[in-house]
Amino acid sequence: MKSASALNTQTVQNLEFDDNEIARVLYGDLNKNLRSVEQAAGVTLSARGSQLQIRGPGHGVELAASALLQLYSLINKGYPVFSQDIAFGIKILESSPRTRLEEIFLDKVCITSQKQVITPKSINQKLYIDAIRKSDIVFGIGPAGTGKTYLAVAMAVSALAREQVRSIILTRPAVEAGEKLGFLPGDMAQKVDPYLRPLLDALNDMLGKEKARDFLERGVIEVAPLAFMRGRTLNNAFVILDEAQNTTREQMKMFLTRIGFDSRAVVTGDITQIDLPGRGSSGLVEAERILADINGIAFCRFSQSDVVRHPLVQKIIHAYEHKTGKESVQAL
């Protein structure tokens, strides 16, 4: 199926696929996917029907060939490969060449209201999903755009659909970052709504606006500021605490001790984006230090390589890291 030869400092490798139709899907409209592979792996591709030639530096040719063969196999198994999956797949194989992409991309977490399948897009995302399945409390720590909150909401929706929990509770601290709540228009509910909007957006995406609204009205799904959790015991629920870097020590302890029977919790945050007044000590930072060795609690770390937003987001994060020494920047 493959042959290779050296040409000056370049390597040439030929691939031949068994199914022309699947090969066309792999190539993409007007060979768009092949262009993505060329850019990501630094190679040149020439396609003729089911035959494909890869030319370039040895490492790039190996990387492109592995990605294309594995993506072809994924399409053959019914996975709808999107253009962004090309970049994700190459990024995964570049950092871990022995990885089998199907173990990541075929791990179906949830199907959205638009029939889109939500799956992990990086090794760390896969580890995160596995940790949520196995542990009662999971911390997801890393920069914006790495899917921490979105995947947590997807897992919550999946657990609700499978009747593993009876309710979903989404919460985050309402920390004033540059604009005083007292100066904002509207009642308290209207004032805190912008803080909770990212969670509502994820719900609407997965369930559809009508179903999400119905669940909210019936109390099956609750979205509330962290302060409203005090004094409660949360049984048979999937609880997500977002933006946890902006919790105090007391708030984090309060939240974690709300967890009742048959419940699970996911805590997400970016410890480089702490907006606490006076740069106070973050409850998320302290929780990692204090709870790291407790069985049943898992900590998952994300980096800029796990960013799954627009490709420029990863470059922006890298630029800020280089200039300031920080680990990430929160996307606006």
Side-chain angles (χ1 to χ4, degrees):
M1 187 174 182
K2 301 183 244 181
S3 65
S5 61
L7 180 62
N8 295 330
T9 59
Q10 290 194 325
T11 296
V12 177
Q13 184 162 333
N14 297 312
L15 304 180
E16 185 169 358
F17 302 106
D18 300 327
D19 190 308
N20 278 336
E21 289 300 319
I22 296 177
R24 275 199 287 268
V25 174
L26 175 64
Y27 298 169
D29 294 336
L30 301 176
N31 289 346
K32 179 181 178 181
N33 291 345
L34 296 185
R35 302 291 82 79
S36 296
V37 173
E38 287 181 328
Q39 185 175 10
V43 297
T44 301
L45 301 177
S46 300
R48 186 174 182 180
S50 62
Q51 296 181 336
L52 184 68
Q53 184 179 85
I54 311 171
R55 183 187 299 270
H59 172 71
V61 169
E62 242 179 76
L63 181 61
S66 177
L68 287 163
L69 289 171
Q70 292 200 54
L71 290 168
Y72 176 87
S73 178
L74 280 167
I75 296 171
N76 195 29
K77 292 179 179 179
Y79 179 80
V81 170
F82 297 100
S83 58
Q84 62 265 33
D85 291 327
I86 306 294
F88 296 149
I90 288 179
K91 188 160 58 173
I92 291 168
L93 293 172
E94 192 168 23
S95 62
S96 183
R98 295 182 180 274
T99 300
R100 294 179 62 202
L101 295 182
E102 66 179 46
E103 293 180 358
I104 297 175
F105 288 171
L106 293 183
D107 187 354
K108 184 171 67 177
V109 176
C110 180
I111 300 177
T112 72
S113 60
Q114 303 299 317
K115 306 302 181 184
Q116 293 182 332
V117 180
I118 298 175
T119 67
K121 300 299 183 184
S122 72
I123 294 174
N124 284 333
Q125 285 193 356
K126 169 64 174 171
L127 294 174
Y128 181 55
I129 291 301
D130 288 342
I132 293 174
R133 290 177 176 137
K134 296 174 183 176
S135 302
D136 290 335
I137 299 177
V138 175
F139 289 79
I141 303 173
T146 51
K148 306 182 300 297
T149 302
Y150 194 81
L151 286 175
V153 174
M155 289 295 288
V157 170
S158 177
L160 184 65
R162 296 170 183 268
E163 298 185 348
Q164 295 171 340
V165 295
R166 292 178 185 168
S167 63
I168 296 173
I169 299 174
L170 310 175
T171 185
R172 65 190 299 184
V175 174
E176 301 173 357
E179 188 168 19
K180 298 295 184 181
L181 280 174
F183 297 152
L184 296 175
D187 58 23
M188 182 52 69
Q190 291 170 320
K191 290 179 178 181
V192 300
D193 181 73
Y195 293 96
L196 305 173
R197 178 51 52 186
L199 298 172
L200 291 170
D201 288 343
L203 277 179
N204 290 336
D205 187 25
M206 291 170 206
L207 294 171
K209 288 187 177 181
E210 288 188 10
K211 192 170 184 179
R213 186 185 306 114
D214 177 59
F215 280 167
L216 287 165
E217 290 174 353
R218 293 194 288 122
V220 176
I221 297 177
E222 180 182 351
V223 184
L226 179 59
F228 291 11
M229 297 296 107
R230 190 173 298 279
R232 301 177 60 181
T233 300
L234 308 174
N235 292 317
N236 212 318
F238 196 117
V239 192
I240 299 173
L241 170 58
D242 192 31
E243 295 291 331
Q245 75 276 6
N246 288 326
T247 61
T248 63
R249 173 184 184 179
E250 293 76 16
Q251 286 176 321
M252 179 61 75
K253 182 180 177 182
M254 179 274 290
F255 171 78
L256 294 174
T257 54
R258 299 307 93 202
I259 309 304
F261 293 106
D262 298 318
S263 288
R264 62 186 73 179
V266 178
V267 180
T268 68
D270 177 0
I271 59 175
T272 70
Q273 297 297 315
I274 299 172
D275 296 317
L276 290 169
R279 299 292 293 178
S281 178
S282 168
L284 179 59
V285 174
E286 187 172 65
E288 185 175 19
R289 178 174 58 83
I290 294 175
L291 307 176
D293 297 326
I294 296 180
N295 289 332
I297 299 179
F299 286 84
C300 299
R301 280 278 188 170
F302 296 88
S303 68
Q304 62 165 323
S305 64
D306 298 300
V307 170
V308 291
R309 291 182 182 171
H310 191 286
L312 281 176
V313 174
Q314 185 176 349
K315 293 179 181 179
I316 290 169
I317 292 171
H318 178 73
Y320 271 83
E321 284 182 358
H322 179 70
K323 292 293 184 181
T324 67
K326 288 186 176 182
E327 198 174 39
S328 65
V329 60
Q330 186 177 25
L332 296 177

